[in-house]
Each structure stands twice: as structure tokens, then as C-alpha cells.
């Protein structure tokens, strides 16, 4: 008889016939410190633990392999980036030069600034609550970029939205010439034709889940023929089949409009104070980003600039904005400076520029103003999706994006008539720019505060988890 068998027999003699109590919460032996444990049972427990750990490792390796097979930061991701860049070029060319069309509407119908602004208010509210036009395009392309890029997410978003500034640079003189030569109606027909090009670029936005289904089908058909791995390959095939069925079931559920609406507006994102602070920042900076740029053309028209000079101003603004977005895209993923800090500093500069609007009274000085606005107002749209993922995780992006777009739309829509009313009441845009500058300061303060609020929220969450663990330990020991 070996020494191990002797030890087993001696330990079995000392064991009592008493049933061992099992804790219903943890599944651990409550009386393990009172009764001796058989070495055989200990060996079996260790074997079970090793098997469970091995299964977990296999599952982790399987998930990592699936992630490696997806086109994240490679392959089709760059096709998606190219398509979104072209879409942003066309879409940004229309949106950023709306100030030129704004002046044309006033000349065509003889409307006041407040009445013309009410048209934009109606359009923005429609986007916010019905998800058409901009309300449908921006969240879709943003979420697609965030899913296809991980390590180069900041670079991808910056490059994609730099197409918007390039569109403003290209189409500003074109719109000015079209309005002078062919008139208001035919110019809008050309703009409407540009919007149909979105269908071509939108066809490139292939859902990343389609690659997951292809990967599962490919792995399902490629089984191993070796005898040693035959059982494991069959179990893997069963897993793939069940995973494929679960994905198909989920896709069927997501086809429902109500399911999509619920996924886009999940109230759980408001459990922490981080998201409300982010929404306040988004409301302030989205408004100033759009309106400081859009009202530059009417502001220049009030001073007495010609249509050609206004076109040059908008082109300079868009060109500087494109350069600033490209530079920020290159430094966004290097972590040399916090994104929120960079956004806050540029927003403060935009606010200062807005408050100094009354001093820009000539074409040369307005060129300086256009340079500063292009440098500071073009960053927000490139930065806020990355900041959203950084502080609220990628899994919550769809819900957060739905609330963000709605908040931005309401904020911009409610500020448009205010800016127009101040212009009609006072007789110039100085008070309007003071209002927008103050909003830019508020947004900058929210950007500065966001990391601090996130740290506080994270500490509070960790404290609650620690308290719950201690409560469970006390319950088990009692």
C-alpha cells in the first residue's frame, strides 16, 4: 500500500457521516472549517476547477479569434471610412453654406431674420423627433465609424468629418456663383440632386454583424478530420449553430421599429451624472458650432460685403476647419492631451471670438474672424463621438447617440429664432454673437468638468460594489 492510499484511508476514517451544508448563494461548504476534507474530494474539486478554467480560456480564445476575423481597423473599415468621407463632403457642403442660402431666402421673399430662422427651427425640430434628414444621417454614419474602428477611432472620425469642411470649402464659391447666374430656384434643384448621391455612399455602410454571420458559417463548414479533435470540433459546430440561431433571432427582433426605438432611447444611461453633463455640453457646443458659422454670411451681408466676398469668407473658414480637423485627428489617439481639455480650450477661443464680433467691421478683419471660427468651431463634431465612447463605453453608444441628437436638435432649433429676434430688435448681430459666445463658455466648462464627474461616478460605483461584496461575506459567515 502506498503512502497516498494510507493517507486517504486515514482521512476517510476520521470523516463523519454528517451531511455537509451548502450555502445556497455561493455554493461553498459552510462547515468546511469544522469537518476534515477528503483528499480525493479535494483532487476532484481541483480537477473541476481546472476544467472550468480551461473552458473559459477556450471561450476567450474563440471570442478573440472572432474579433480578429472582423474588419476592425482594417479591410472593409477603410471602405466605410471613404464612403462616409464622401457623404460628409456633400452633406457638409450643403449644411455649412446654408448661410449663403439664408441670405438668398431673405432677398427672394423679403423676410426678416427671425422669420427666416423659424424655417430652420422647424427643420431642426423635425430632425430631432422624426429622425429624418440630418437626424437620420449623422447618428448612422457615426455609429458605423465607432464599430469599425477601435485603435484608430479618433483618426477615423476626424478624417471622415474633415470631408464636411472640405465640402464647405469647395461649394461656398459654387453656391455663390449659382445664385448670381441661374437664380434661387435652379440652385435649390442642384442641391436637391446632390442629396441623391447619399444613396450611393450609404450603400457602402455594411453592418459589421454581417461579417460575424459569415465568420460563423465559414467556421461551421471547416471541421477538423482528426480523431483526437473530432468531438471538440462537433461541440464547436454546435456552438456555432446555436450562436448563428441566436444572431438570427436577434436580427429578427431588431427589425421591429419599437425594438429599435427602445434601443436608441434607453433610460439606463441616466443612472450616472456623466451623461447629463455630456448632454449639457452637447447642447451648448452643437449650437455654437452651427450658428457661429452659419450666421457669418448674414453678419457679413449686414456690414456690406458682396456675394463674392462672402463666398471667399466661407471658403477660408471651411479650409481652416478642414486643417484643424486633420490635425486633431492625428493627435486624437496619441493621448498627449485629453480630448475634453482640447475641446474646452478651443470652445473658449470660439467664445472669445464671438464676443469680439463688434470689432470685425471690414473684409480683412472678417477674414481673421473666419480663420478663428474655422480653427475652433470645426472640432466639436469630430470629437464628441469619441468622447462619448470614452466616458460611456461603446455598448451604450446607440442609446446615448439617440438622446444626443435629439438634445442637439432641440437646442439648435430653440436658439435660431432667438438669434433672429435679437437681430431684428437691436438692428445688428452683435447681441446674437454675445449670446452664442456665452453658450460656448458654458459648453467649455462642461467639457472641463466631464473627467472629474466621471472619476467621481466611477469611485461611487466601486464603493457600492465593495459594500455589496462585504455584505455577502457577512451573510455567508453568519
Amino acid at each position: 500500500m502506498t503512502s497516498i492510499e494510507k493517507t486517504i484511508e486515514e482521512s476517510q476514517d476520521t470523516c463523519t457521516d454528517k451531511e455537509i451544508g451548502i450555502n445556497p448563494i455561493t455554493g461553498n461548504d459552510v462547515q468546511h472549517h469544522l469537518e476534515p476534507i477528503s483528499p480525493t474530494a479535494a483532487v476532484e474539486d481541483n480537477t473541476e476547477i481546472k476544467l472550468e478554467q480551461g473552458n473559459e480560456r477556450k471561450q476567450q480564445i474563440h471570442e478573440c479569434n472572432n474579433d480578429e476575423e472582423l474588419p476592425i481597423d482594417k479591410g472593409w473599415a477603410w471602405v466605410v471610412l471613404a464612403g462616409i468621407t464622401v457623404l460628409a463632403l456633400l452633406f457638409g457642403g450643403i449644411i455649412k453654406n446654408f448661410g449663403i442660402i439664408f441670405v438668398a431666402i431673405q432677398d427672394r421673399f423679403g423676410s426678416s431674420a427671425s422669420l427666416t430662422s423659424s424655417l430652420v427651427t422647424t427643420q431642426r425640430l423635425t430632425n430631432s423627433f422624426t429622425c429624418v434628414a440630418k437626424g437620420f444621417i449623422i447618428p448612422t454614419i457615426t455609429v458605423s465609424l465607432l464599430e469599425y474602428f477601435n485603435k484608430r477611432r479618433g483618426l477615423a472620425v476626424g478624417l471622415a468629418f474633415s470631408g464636411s469642411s472640405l465640402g464647405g470649402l469647395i461649394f461656398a464659391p459654387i453656391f455663390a456663383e449659382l445664385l448670381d447666374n441661374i437664380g434661387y430656384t435652379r440652385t435649390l434643384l442642384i442641391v436637391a440632386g446632390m442629396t441623391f448621391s447619399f444613396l450611393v455612399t450609404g450603400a457602402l455602410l455594411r453592418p459589421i454583424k454581417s461579417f460575424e454571420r459569415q465568420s460563423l458559417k465559414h467556421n461551421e463548414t471547416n471541421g477538423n478530420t482528426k480523431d483526437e479533435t473530432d468531438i471538440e470540433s462537433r461541440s464547436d459546430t454546435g456552438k456555432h449553430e446555436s450562436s448563428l440561431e441566436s444572431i438570427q433571432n436577434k436580427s429578427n427582433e431588431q427589425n421591429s421599429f419599437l425594438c429599435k426605438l427602445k434601443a436608441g432611447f434607453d433610460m439606463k444611461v441616466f443612472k450616472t451624472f456623466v451623461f447629463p453633463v455630456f448632454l449639457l455640453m452637447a447642447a451648448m457646443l452643437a449650437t455654437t458650432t452651427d450658428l457661429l458659422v452659419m450666421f457669418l454670411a448674414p453678419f457679413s451681408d449686414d456690414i456690406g460685403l458682396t456675394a463674392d466676398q462672402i463666398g471667399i469668407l466661407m471658403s477660408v473658414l471651411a479650409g481652416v476647419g478642414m486643417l484643424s480637423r486633420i490635425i486633431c485627428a492625428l493627435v486624437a489617439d496619441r493621448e498627449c492631451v485629453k480630448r475634453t481639455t482640447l475641446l474646452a480650450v478651443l470652445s473658449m477661443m470660439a467664445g472669445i471670438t464671438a464676443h469680439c464680433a463688434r470689432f470685425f467691421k471690414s473684409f480683412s478683419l472678417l477674414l481673421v474672424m473666419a480663420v478663428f471660427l474655422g480653427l475652433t468651431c470645426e472640432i466639436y463634431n469630430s470629437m464628441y463621438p469619441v468622447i462619448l465612447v470614452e466616458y460611456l463605453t461603446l455598448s451604450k453608444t446607440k442609446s446615448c447617440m439617440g438622446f444626443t441628437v435629439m438634445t442637439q436638435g432641440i437646442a439648435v432649433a430653440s436658439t435660431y429664432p432667438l438669434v433672429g429676434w435679437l437681430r431684428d430688435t437691436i438692428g445688428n448681430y452683435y447681441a446674437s454673437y454675445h449670446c452664442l459666445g456665452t453658450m460656448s463658455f458654458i459648453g467649455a466648462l462642461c467639457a472641463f468638468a466631464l473627467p472629474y464627474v466621471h472619476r467621481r461616478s466611477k469611485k461611487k460605483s466601486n464603493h457600492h460594489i465593495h459594500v455589496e461584496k462585504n455584505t455577502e461575506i457577512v451573510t455567508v459567515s453568519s
Side-chain angles (χ1 to χ4, degrees):
M1 184 179 292
T2 63
S3 59
I4 297 176
E5 291 176 349
K6 289 181 181 180
T7 306
I8 293 174
E9 287 184 355
E10 290 175 358
S11 61
Q12 288 177 347
D13 292 336
T14 57
C15 290
T16 63
D17 295 332
K18 189 187 300 181
E19 293 184 355
I20 300 175
I22 302 299
N23 191 301
I25 299 176
T26 61
N28 296 327
D29 184 3
V30 178
Q31 298 178 354
H32 68 279
H33 58 285
L34 298 177
E35 298 177 1
I37 300 176
S38 172
T40 306
V43 172
E44 292 177 354
D45 292 340
N46 291 331
T47 304
E48 291 178 357
I49 292 172
K50 290 180 179 179
L51 289 174
E52 290 177 358
Q53 292 177 351
N55 293 331
E56 290 178 357
R57 289 174 183 172
K58 287 182 180 180
Q59 186 176 1
Q60 291 176 357
I61 293 171
H62 178 68
E63 292 176 354
C64 292
N65 291 333
N66 285 338
D67 291 339
E68 291 177 356
E69 293 174 357
L70 296 177
I72 297 177
D73 293 318
K74 61 184 179 180
W76 192 260
W78 298 108
V79 178
V80 172
L81 176 60
I84 292 176
T85 304
V86 174
L87 191 150
L89 185 146
L90 298 173
F91 190 71
I94 298 172
I95 296 297
K96 292 188 175 300
N97 293 302
F98 185 76
I100 299 174
I101 301 175
F102 187 93
V103 176
I105 293 173
Q106 288 183 302
D107 294 338
R108 173 71 180 271
F109 299 101
S111 58
S112 62
S114 58
L115 181 60
T116 309
S117 298
S118 64
L119 299 176
V120 185
T121 299
T122 305
Q123 181 257 342
R124 289 303 179 111
L125 289 175
T126 304
N127 289 344
S128 300
F129 292 104
T130 62
C131 292
V132 297
K134 184 178 180 181
F136 183 78
I137 294 172
I138 298 300
T140 302
I141 63 176
T142 304
V143 173
S144 298
L145 276 177
L146 297 178
E147 288 180 346
Y148 271 98
F149 288 91
N150 183 16
K151 295 180 181 179
R152 302 176 180 177
R153 184 173 291 152
L155 176 64
V157 175
L159 291 177
F161 283 99
S162 65
S164 176
S165 300
L166 180 61
L169 173 65
I170 294 173
F171 290 106
I174 294 176
F175 286 166
E177 289 295 328
L178 288 175
L179 289 169
D180 288 339
N181 295 324
I182 66 175
Y184 171 81
T185 303
R186 294 180 180 179
T187 300
L188 288 187
L189 288 176
I190 294 175
V191 172
M194 291 171 57
T195 60
F196 281 103
S197 303
F198 299 168
L199 298 175
V200 179
T201 56
L204 299 175
L205 304 184
R206 182 177 176 182
I208 199 168
K209 290 183 179 180
S210 63
F211 291 96
E212 294 180 359
R213 289 192 287 268
Q214 282 188 355
S215 175
L216 290 174
K217 290 180 182 179
H218 178 73
N219 292 333
E220 186 180 4
T221 57
N222 292 333
N224 293 326
T225 58
K226 294 182 180 181
D227 294 333
E228 295 179 356
T229 59
D230 185 47
I231 297 175
E232 184 177 357
S233 64
R234 290 178 182 176
S235 63
D236 289 338
T237 304
K239 290 180 181 179
H240 295 325
E241 290 177 351
S242 61
S243 300
L244 183 60
E245 291 177 358
S246 63
I247 290 175
Q248 291 176 349
N249 293 331
K250 289 181 180 179
S251 63
N252 292 331
E253 292 177 357
Q254 291 176 352
N255 288 331
S256 173
F257 175 76
L258 294 177
C259 292
K260 291 182 179 180
L261 186 63
K262 183 178 179 181
F265 296 94
D266 188 2
M267 300 300 294
K268 293 180 181 179
V269 295
F270 288 96
K271 285 186 176 181
T272 62
F273 197 59
V274 177
F275 191 52
V277 174
F278 177 85
L279 285 183
L280 179 59
M281 180 195 74
M284 297 294 106
L285 296 185
T287 302
T288 55
T289 297
D290 282 359
L291 272 63
L292 285 175
V293 173
M294 205 284 291
F295 279 99
L296 180 61
F299 176 70
S300 303
D301 184 66
D302 276 0
I303 294 176
L305 268 64
T306 63
D308 292 336
Q309 289 176 327
I310 293 174
I312 293 173
L313 283 179
M314 302 306 294
S315 297
V316 170
L317 189 151
V320 175
M322 183 182 66
L323 292 176
S324 65
R325 285 191 178 189
I326 293 174
I327 293 172
C328 287
L330 294 175
V331 302
D333 297 325
R334 298 181 183 274
E335 297 182 355
C336 55
V337 63
K338 288 184 179 179
R339 298 184 181 96
T340 51
T341 303
L342 180 62
L343 180 62
V345 171
L346 293 174
S347 299
M348 294 287 287
M349 292 175 60
I352 294 172
T353 303
H355 283 297
C356 296
R358 63 176 61 248
F359 301 109
F360 301 105
K361 295 182 179 180
S362 65
F363 176 68
S364 58
L365 291 177
L366 284 172
L367 280 175
V368 176
M369 182 178 180
V371 170
F372 275 100
L373 291 180
L375 179 65
T376 57
C377 292
E378 298 293 325
I379 300 299
Y380 168 74
N381 288 325
S382 300
M383 297 289 287
Y384 88 86
V386 186
I387 293 173
L388 188 63
V389 174
E390 181 180 357
Y391 291 101
L392 292 160
T393 71
L394 182 61
S395 60
K396 300 178 182 178
T397 301
K398 292 183 179 180
S399 297
C400 295
M401 192 62 67
F403 285 113
T404 302
V405 172
M406 185 177 68
T407 302
Q408 290 177 162
I410 294 173
V412 175
S414 59
T415 310
Y416 260 106
L418 175 62
V419 172
W421 178 78
L422 289 173
R423 159 64 180 81
D424 294 337
T425 302
I426 300 175
N428 54 56
Y429 282 100
Y430 297 150
S432 301
Y433 270 85
H434 283 306
C435 177
L436 295 174
T438 304
M439 294 177 68
S440 186
F441 285 154
I442 296 173
L445 292 176
C446 292
F448 273 126
L450 194 60
Y452 173 76
V453 175
H454 181 257
R455 286 195 301 268
R456 293 275 299 182
S457 177
K458 196 172 182 180
K459 287 181 180 179
K460 187 176 180 180
S461 177
N462 292 335
H463 176 71
H464 286 315
I465 294 173
H466 182 69
V467 171
E468 289 177 359
K469 287 183 178 180
N470 289 338
T471 304
E472 290 181 0
I473 293 173
V474 172
T475 304
V476 171
S477 62
S478 62

